[in-house]
């Protein structure tokens, strides 16, 4: 609208213009050459909803853009962007002959603008609201398009329907039939033309084998019936190819009908599968129930309301619950009440039990617990909370299991024969005592060993032996006090842990009592048996402060007691320990002696009495200990045998001895001592073969000396090894003959090449003594068996005279030579003559 100043400036003509402008049916605005607003009418102002007074003469194009954006005419536009568009419009409308027509949408309205360029004035723009016209046109377009679309869609839908569709008119002639229908029945095209009679189509369908699944009723009749009934009729067909088609016929008012043909093969299959899985589930449930009820444990499941969901038969059995209490829905409280009333009461009392169960439920924690019942049963309960607030628990009566475990535990700690505690339990008890020993309490450990028990076993049999042991156990138990622990350590070894002693004197008194008691004759199966016992005693804390030491010291004392004659007791003494210490040093030293080259061999000649020549040299082992000096083989070989070090040492001796012998004249053999332990490991034969091969020594120049201890446990393998050694060509000598009990019998077991009569026989060798008779017998035996005989330890001319007279073939001893180092052997060989004997002092062993 024009302002006051405008009105005064233009006069009454202007009033006319204003009225004219105001009555125009459209909006009107004039823009000057400077593109600023000059004139406008009310329509214009309203159309764009400019607030009254906002429009001013001289408003720039940009300012109008700002205004129009501010009032919300162009959502999403910035004034800048709009300005660019408006500028362009004005530019484009610069030709006065062709006004620019444009449309713009303002808040859902469509406004048509027409820009006219009027040189000298600027631009005259008319604004016309054409919303309604536009909408009318659009709707018309839309409707037309929709109809076309619908037809198209209908055709497409019909063609692409998943179902077959047919429609018949009042005369039952085909009106519509879709592609799917043709495919379903594989219809020839001439049968699906519009106007084909229904009967013709039915005939065709029958001819291809489409048969109704239920009822023989003629299809046509059915359709008729359906039409009469004016309801949908459903009929199912099975096709020869296995497809199942269901047909829905619906009558139409004109007497015709529509039929929908649906391939339901898949549905049927799905239904069948569903049925099968239902059966499977039922089966599974059955199996689940069987499994649950056949569990060895009781099982129960409660929901978050503490109501029973399920429980099995063993659960009911453990607490003897009646059927009504195992029904789902029973509350935990009901079950507990019943249990407590009917005797299934836990030892810890009902309150404590209930609160402990409740705590599990509220804590929602998994737990495992063994509950002892008042009736003595032990029930193992495992509680597992479930996500829904309930829980599953298993209950198992483990009473029997516990009893078995207790029995097993007892057996593991007791001796089966006497039921006395065994070594394990004794150790445990002793370890408990250590604290008391630390407090200077006096405790003693007795180690006992029965005298002559082995001969009882050997002569009267194990049955009698066992009864003797049981009786001895009983006597030991009686002789000692309740607090003492009498244990059987194995065989005929016992131990007693004596507590709260008033000193060694008390220990002596007890030991004497025991010795006397065991010495009393024992009657078993009509035999009067007399055995005895030897006792070693270690007293804590003087003789040791821990179980290990005390037992060890008592054992050492026992050896001393036995050594001093049986039926005796002996206290531990510090010297005994030194002996053990010494032995331990030997053991450790032996481990490294070989690799440190501390061993060497010396050789002692064996002289043949036939020609007074050295026929053989016996290799004897020497250990030069860095601290202790020379150690005798008598001392270290038993230790090496026990630790197993003898295997490597013996192997070294074999190699070294064979090597040394190669330097000697052909007729001189080398004798090597073998330990029984070397026979226990495989590889002895290989070791001997290798030693010979490495040295290049013929086998017949090697003699192997074994002692009868090897044959004590005469096994097949020992004899086989001996035979294999002999098969190599090596000679085998029986060493130290006569020291054992059954030397003679061993001569029958193996064809030895030589018997070496032990030097102990030579000691008391005078012509009147028994030993002469023995030597005579042995030499005679050797001669008749074709075995050579060597007399060991010949020190005097007298001894030599005796053995020579008895026909001994070889002699060995200090009379001829002590063992010599290798260098001494070289000097000796060839020089030894019967008249020029080598004396000790001449070839003193270099040690
Ligand atoms: P042995 O096989 O009976 O060896 C003979 C022992 O008697 C040697 O003691 C020897 O020095 C000693 N002896 C020799 N002539 C006389 C004599 O006239 N009077 C007396 N009283 N003794 C004499 P050695 O060398 O101390 O060996 C002791 C034992 O050690 C050997 O007894 C043998 O059993 C064993 N031994 C030695 N070397 C080895 C070895 O390399 N391997 C094995 N396994 N045992 C060996
Ligand atoms: Ca020997
Ligand atoms: Ca010997």
């Amino acid at each position: 609208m024009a302002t006051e100043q405008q009105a005064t400036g233009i006069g009454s003509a202007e009033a006319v213009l204003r009225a004219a402008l105001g009555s125009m049916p459209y909006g009107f605005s004039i823009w000057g050459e400077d593109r600023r607003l000059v004139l406008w009418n009310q329509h214009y102002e309203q159309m764009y909803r400019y607030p009254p007074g906002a429009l001013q003469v001289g408003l720039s194009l940009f300012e109008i853009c700002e205004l129009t954006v501010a009032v919300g005419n162009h959502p999403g536009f910035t004034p800048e962007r709009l300005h660019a568009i408006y500028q362009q419009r004005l530019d484009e409308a610069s030709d006065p002959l062709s006004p620019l027509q444009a449309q713009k949408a303002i808040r859902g309205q469509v406004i048509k603008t027409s820009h006219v360029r009027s040189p000298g004035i600027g631009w005259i723009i008319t604004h016309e609201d054409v919303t309604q016209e536009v909408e009318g046109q659009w709707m018309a377009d839309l409707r037309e398009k929709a109809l076309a679309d619908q037809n198209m869609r209908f055709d497409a839908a019909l063609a692409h329907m998943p179902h077959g569709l047919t429609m018949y008119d009042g005369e039952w002639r085909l009106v519509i039939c879709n592609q799917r229908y043709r495919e379903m029945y594989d219809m020839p095209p001439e049968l699906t033309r519009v106007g084909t009679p229904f009967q013709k189509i039915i005939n065709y369908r029958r001819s291809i084998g489409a048969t109704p699944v239920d009822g023989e009723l003629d299809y046509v009749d059915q359709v008729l019936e359906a039409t009469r009934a004016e309801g949908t009729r459903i009929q199912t067909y099975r096709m020869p190819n296995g497809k199942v088609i269901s047909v829905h016929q619906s009558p139409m008012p004109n007497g015709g009908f529509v039929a929908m043909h649906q391939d339901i093969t898949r549905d049927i299959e799905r239904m069948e599968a569903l049925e099968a899985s239902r059966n499977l589930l039922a089966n599974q449930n059955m199996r689940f129930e069987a499994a649950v009820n056949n569990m060895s444990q009781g099982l129960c499941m409660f929901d978050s309301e503490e109501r029973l969901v399920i429980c099995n038969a063993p659960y009911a059995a453990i607490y003897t619950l009646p059927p009504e209490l195992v029904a789902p829905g029973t509350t935990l409280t009901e079950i507990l009440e019943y249990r407590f009333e009917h005797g299934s009461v836990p030892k810890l009392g009902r309150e404590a039990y209930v609160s402990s169960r409740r705590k599990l439920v509220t804590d929602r924690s998994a737990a495992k617990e063994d509950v002892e019942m008042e009736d003595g049963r032990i029930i193992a309960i495992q509680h597992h909370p479930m996500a829904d607030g309930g829980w599953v628990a298993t209950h198992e009566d483990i009473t029997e299991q516990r009893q078995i475990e207790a029995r097993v535990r007892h057996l593991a700690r007791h001796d089966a024969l006497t039921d006395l505690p065994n070594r394990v339990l004794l150790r445990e008890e002793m370890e408990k005592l250590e604290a008391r020993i630390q407090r200077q309490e006096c405790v003693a450990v007795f180690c006992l060993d029965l005298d002559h028990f082995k001969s009882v076993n050997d002569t009267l049999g194990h049955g009698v032996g066992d009864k003797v042991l049981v009786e001895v156990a009983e006597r030991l138990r009686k002789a000692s006090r309740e607090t003492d622990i009498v244990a059987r350590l194995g065989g005929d070894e016992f131990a007693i842990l004596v507590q709260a002693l008033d000193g060694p004197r008390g220990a002596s008194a007890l030991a004497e009592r025991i010795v006397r008691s065991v010495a009393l004759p024992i009657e078993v199966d009509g035999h009067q048996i007399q055995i005895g016992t030897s006792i070693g005693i270690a007293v804590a804390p003087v003789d040791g402060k821990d179980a290990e030491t005390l037992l060890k010291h008592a054992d050492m004392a026992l050896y001393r007691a036995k050594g001093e004659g049986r039926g005796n007791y002996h206290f531990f003494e510090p010297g005994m320990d030194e002996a053990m210490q010494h032995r331990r040093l030997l053991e450790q030293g032996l481990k490294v002696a070989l690799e440190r080259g501390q061993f060497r061999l010396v050789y002692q000649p064996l002289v043949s009495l036939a020609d007074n020549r050295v026929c053989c040299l016996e290799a004897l082992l020497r250990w030069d200990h860095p601290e202790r000096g020379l150690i005798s083989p008598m001392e270290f070989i038993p230790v090496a045998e026990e630790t197993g070090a003898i295997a490597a040492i013996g192997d070294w001796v074999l190699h070294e001895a064979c090597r040394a012998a190669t330097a000697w004249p052909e007729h001189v053999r080398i004798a090597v001592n073998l330990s029984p332990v070397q026979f226990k490991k495989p590889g002895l034969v290989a070791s001997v073969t290798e030693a010979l091969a490495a040295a290049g020594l013929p086998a017949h120049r090697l003699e192997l000396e074994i002692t009868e201890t090897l044959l004590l446990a005469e096994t097949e393998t020992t004899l086989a090894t001996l035979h294999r050694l002999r098969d190599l060509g090596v000679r085998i000598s029986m060493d130290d003959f006569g020291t054992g009990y059954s030397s003679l019998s061993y001569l029958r077991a193996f064809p030895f090449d030589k018997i070496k009569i032990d030097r102990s026989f030579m000691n008391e060798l005078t012509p009147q003594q028994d030993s002469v008779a023995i030597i005579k017998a042995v030499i005679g035996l050797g001669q008749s068996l074709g075995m050579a005989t060597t007399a060991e330890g010949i020190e005097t001319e007298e001894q030599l005279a005796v053995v020579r007279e008895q026909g001994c073939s070889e002699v060995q001893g200090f009379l001829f030579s002590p063992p010599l180092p290798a260098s001494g052997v070289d000097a000796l060989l060839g020089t030894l003559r019967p008249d020029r004997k080598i004396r000790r002092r001449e070839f003193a062993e270099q040690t």
Side-chain angles (χ1 to χ4, degrees), residues 618 705 735-736 756 758-759 792:
E618 178 176 2
E705 299 191 0
D735 202 357
D736 301 343
K756 295 184 80 177
D758 191 71
R759 62 178 178 272
E792 291 185 329

Side-chain angles (χ1 to χ4, degrees), residues 310-321:
I310 185 185
C311 76
N312 65 358
Y315 174 74
I318 288 176
Y319 302 114
T320 47
L321 299 176

Side-chain angles (χ1 to χ4, degrees), residues 218-269:
D218 191 281
Y219 188 78
V220 181
D221 292 342
Q222 282 180 40
V223 177
L224 261 179
E225 204 184 304
T227 320
R228 258 181 248 123
E230 295 207 343
T232 301
R233 176 102 200 165
I234 305 172
Q235 176 67 12
T236 312
Y237 288 85
R238 199 173 279 278
M239 306 287 286
N241 61 4
K243 291 242 180 274
V244 182
I245 295 172
S246 113
V247 184
H248 295 229
Q249 296 118 11
S250 310
M252 291 197 302
N254 65 354
F257 63 93
V258 181
M260 289 276 267
H261 303 251
Q262 192 176 352
D263 185 338
I264 56 164
T265 320
R266 279 275 208 77
D267 302 310
I268 295 241
E269 280 167 1

